[in-house]
Amino acid sequence: MRSKVRTRIGSMLVCLAMLLSLLPVTALAAEGTECTESDCAHVAGIGNTHYGTLADAFNAAIDGDTVKVLKDSNIDEGIEISEGNVVLDLNGKTVSYVQSKSNDDVGIIDINGTANVTVTGNGSFTYTDGYYNSSNDELGYNFRVAGNAKLTIENGNYHAVLTCVQAGDSSEVVIKDGTFSTGIEWGGTRWHLNLIDNSNAKFTVMGGTFEGFDPGASKTENPVANFCAPGYISVTEDGDKTYTVHPIEDVAVAEANGEYYMTLAEAVEAVVSSSGKTGTVTLLNDAQGCGIGLFNSKGHAGIDLTIDFGGHTYTAGDPAVGSAGTESQAFHLEKDNTVTLKNGTITVAPDSQNTAMLIQNYCNLTLDNIDLIGNNRTQYIISCNYGDTVLKDVNISGTYENLVALDLMHWLGTSYADQVPTMSIQNSAENTISGSVDVYCYGTGADSCPSKPIMTITGGTFTAKGNNAAIKAYTWDSSTKKESAFDNSAKTVTVSGGTFSSAVPEALCAEGCAPVENPDGTHGVSGSVAQVGVKAFNTLQAAIDAAQDGETVTLLADVEQNTQLTINKN
């Protein structure tokens, strides 16, 4: 028989009596037993009224009732619920689907009509070997939902032969939590959740764990369907063996303009493709992903992008990015854009085979309070060929033997020749740049390069690898393959502070500064306490006197001022 939840509709006793007289005894609900014992033999109860089978309890349930499973039990017949609001409280117990003794029926729960059923109590549904071996055509489901019915699963464990929940017609299934698994595949696919073809039914999954089945990309449908509720996402951390559903903000990698994303690249793309081309991407967790690129050929211009790493680490792996044929960078940032990277760490994945450069920059770039770390294949950390670059409280390191930490190049004979790149390093003594600093002109005729790259160093610690110079300026003629001296008479490169692993060439010292060797064997510059532009001064007063309208006086060292400072400007 099939049991049916009934709704109390009033006391039409005469009509009811006439109907009952016409029904066979098997259609009548089994009477319950009033029972207050905590360890009775009954299987299920509605309040203190207990029943011998779960089917009997459902048969007796009316709108608003809660059917509570009292002990581990079996279902060997179909239970049909077609109306009313009913709660099934599994009470931590296990319900097993079995084959009936007559072998003509198997356990299944059908929810149809206008029924609204909620399953809770953190129990389990499973099946026995006898059920699995049955030839009954209703084999394989925990629940079938049809009509305009609704099923809500709040928790529990659901193990079916083929399908935990099937939905058809205009029914709705809401899954808030639980664990879902099946014993077999069909057509090479797991069918934990399945919509009847051409129906208006729907799944809304807001939680749960699914073994071997992705509710965010269910292959039971054609095309593949996303059963996750809006704002939720399924993720796997064990190679597709298990999927769990979470609110996207709980597992997202990044946020941009109020939206959440599972990769940094997706969040960056959201800003890049936005109408204003402006926004801040915030990294929410440590994350690993591919390279990030802004390419003029893709229409990336006029972008104002900030990536706030939020104290987290982004591990850049393959595929790397770059111009066609040179996809070898973790970040590739082309001109006519403004980018800020701050508050965290960017490191190259140890297994990345292609990331030879951490940042290739052509835009206006600010690096603020960030650590940049290369692997043993990363030859360059930052290479700048265009735009203005500012480093504030930046640490750089890597394990490549001849690591170049900073590469500042004016690239002649290209579309980047019209503007020299600039770099301002505003580190404190606590910040270390590990790797050499190279400043140069590159291209045919570089030895007579009329416009040199501009670099200012006001502080920080610089340690080159091996016997390499901590800072070096030169020219490289690409036609003759010849290196020549760098004419710094215009003071485009100025060092006015910092500690270096090798001597600072006198030509690179800011005006008023000279190279010195420190007692501990490191090197630095002396003679400057303040700077205006690229020029350093021995006294703060001298810097103030030299400053013109709109310029900034930068203090480079602690100053003991024993005389009155005079600021006399029109």
Side-chain angles (χ1 to χ4, degrees):
M1 63 169 282
R2 293 201 177 279
S3 302
K4 180 177 179 180
V5 169
R6 301 166 298 163
T7 303
R8 185 181 289 115
I9 61 174
S11 57
M12 301 173 65
L13 298 178
V14 174
C15 292
L16 181 60
M18 293 175 62
L19 290 171
L20 290 175
S21 67
L22 298 175
L23 290 174
V25 174
T26 56
L28 300 179
E31 292 187 5
T33 301
E34 290 298 312
C35 181
T36 60
E37 296 180 19
S38 59
D39 190 25
C40 63
H42 298 111
V43 168
I46 303 173
N48 288 329
T49 303
H50 292 182
Y51 300 86
T53 68
L54 189 58
D56 288 343
F58 270 114
N59 193 50
I62 60 175
D63 185 38
D65 276 349
T66 295
V67 175
K68 186 176 183 178
V69 179
L70 302 177
K71 60 173 51 184
D72 293 346
S73 57
N74 297 330
I75 299 179
D76 63 357
E77 61 183 323
I79 296 175
E80 183 179 350
I81 309 169
S82 59
E83 57 187 359
N85 298 289
V86 178
V87 174
L88 172 58
D89 180 358
L90 293 174
N91 190 31
K93 308 303 182 184
T94 296
V95 176
S96 299
Y97 286 166
V98 301
Q99 188 178 16
S100 66
K101 292 181 180 179
S102 60
N103 295 324
D104 60 357
D105 206 353
V106 292
I108 191 171
I109 296 179
D110 282 314
I111 303 168
N112 50 44
T114 59
N116 184 359
V117 177
T118 298
V119 182
T120 189
N122 212 22
S124 300
F125 275 94
T126 187
Y127 60 86
T128 63
D129 289 342
Y131 173 91
Y132 177 80
N133 293 320
S134 170
S135 60
N136 192 287
D137 60 6
E138 294 183 330
L139 173 73
Y141 307 92
N142 285 160
F143 299 97
R144 289 186 303 196
V145 190
N148 293 304
K150 180 178 181 180
L151 168 65
T152 301
I153 295 176
E154 293 188 339
N155 47 48
N157 303 299
Y158 302 86
H159 183 57
V161 174
L162 180 64
T163 303
C164 298
V165 185
Q166 176 181 273
D169 297 331
S170 297
S171 63
E172 180 182 3
V173 177
V174 177
I175 296 175
K176 297 182 178 180
D177 201 359
T179 299
F180 300 82
S181 60
T182 57
I184 64 172
E185 297 179 351
W186 184 75
T189 298
R190 293 285 175 178
W191 294 69
H192 296 35
L193 308 179
N194 181 35
L195 292 175
I196 295 294
D197 292 343
N198 302 314
S199 71
N200 294 315
K202 68 175 183 178
F203 285 101
T204 303
V205 182
M206 305 165 66
T209 300
F210 300 79
E211 296 181 8
F213 174 84
D214 182 2
S218 175
K219 296 178 181 179
T220 62
E221 314 306 318
N222 185 17
V224 170
N226 180 9
F227 294 152
C228 295
Y232 289 77
I233 193 167
S234 63
V235 297
T236 181
E237 297 180 355
D238 59 4
D240 301 335
K241 293 180 180 178
T242 305
Y243 290 86
T244 56
V245 176
H246 305 271
I248 191 169
E249 61 265 31
D250 290 351
V251 294
V253 165
E255 177 270 333
N257 297 336
E259 298 292 333
Y260 295 92
Y261 301 90
M262 294 305 294
T263 69
L264 181 61
E266 290 173 345
V268 169
E269 178 59 27
V271 172
V272 169
S273 61
S274 67
S275 58
K277 297 185 177 183
T278 299
T280 296
V281 173
T282 301
L283 198 67
L284 303 175
N285 300 285
D286 291 348
Q288 180 165 344
C290 62
I292 306 293
L294 298 181
F295 297 92
N296 297 152
S297 62
K298 296 182 179 180
H300 299 163
I303 293 164
D304 189 347
L305 169 68
T306 296
I307 302 179
D308 185 343
F309 291 86
H312 300 294
T313 296
Y314 182 69
T315 301
D318 297 332
V321 292
S323 302
T326 59
E327 294 87 353
S328 58
Q329 297 118 46
F331 284 74
H332 179 95
L333 309 171
E334 294 192 354
K335 66 179 184 178
D336 300 325
N337 296 297
T338 300
V339 176
T340 298
L341 307 176
K342 65 180 184 178
N343 302 332
T345 300
I346 304 172
T347 185
V348 177
D351 60 352
S352 173
Q353 303 294 315
N354 300 321
T355 309
M357 184 181 297
L358 203 152
I359 300 175
Q360 173 70 78
N361 181 54
Y362 304 90
C363 73
N364 292 331
L365 173 64
T366 298
L367 299 164
D368 186 2
N369 186 33
I370 198 161
D371 295 344
L372 306 174
I373 305 170
N375 71 7
N376 59 3
R377 300 175 188 85
T378 308
Q379 302 172 38
Y380 297 85
I381 300 299
I382 305 175
S383 178
C384 297
N385 304 145
Y386 202 80
D388 302 323
T389 302
V390 177
L391 281 68
K392 296 186 289 187
D393 299 324
V394 174
N395 296 296
I396 289 176
S397 62
T399 55
Y400 187 74
E401 183 179 3
N402 293 307
L403 179 67
V404 177
L406 302 174
D407 177 83
L408 186 65
M409 178 183 77
H410 187 199
W411 196 356
L412 305 179
T414 69
S415 59
Y416 303 110
D418 65 310
Q419 178 182 317
V420 297
T422 75
M423 182 179 291
S424 175
I425 302 171
Q426 303 168 16
N427 277 354
S428 68
E430 288 73 29
N431 299 119
T432 298
I433 305 293
S434 179
S436 59
V437 176
D438 288 0
V439 184
Y440 58 105
C441 289
Y442 177 87
T444 301
D447 55 345
S448 58
C449 179
S451 300
K452 305 292 196 303
I454 298 173
M455 175 179 282
T456 61
I457 298 176
T458 60
T461 300
F462 299 81
T463 59
K465 297 280 189 174
N467 295 322
N468 295 323
I471 181 169
K472 179 182 178 181
Y474 58 96
T475 64
W476 180 263
D477 192 308
S478 57
S479 60
T480 64
K481 309 298 183 184
K482 182 179 179 181
E483 179 180 312
S484 301
F486 186 96
D487 180 3
N488 197 40
S489 58
K491 288 298 180 184
T492 58
V493 179
T494 58
V495 180
S496 57
T499 302
F500 299 80
S501 59
S502 63
V504 178
E506 186 171 3
L508 303 184
C509 294
E511 290 187 29
C513 296
V516 297
E517 183 174 359
N518 300 317
D520 62 358
T522 60
H523 298 264
V525 295
S526 66
S528 59
V529 297
Q531 181 172 335
V532 179
V534 300
K535 187 174 182 179
F537 297 88
N538 295 326
T539 67
L540 180 56
Q541 184 66 64
I544 292 172
D545 291 343
Q548 301 299 308
D549 184 34
E551 292 186 319
T552 298
V553 175
T554 301
L555 199 64
L556 302 177
D558 294 339
V559 174
E560 183 176 337
Q561 189 70 31
N562 297 317
T563 60
Q564 181 176 337
L565 286 173
T566 301
I567 303 176
N568 185 17
K569 302 289 183 182
N570 293 324

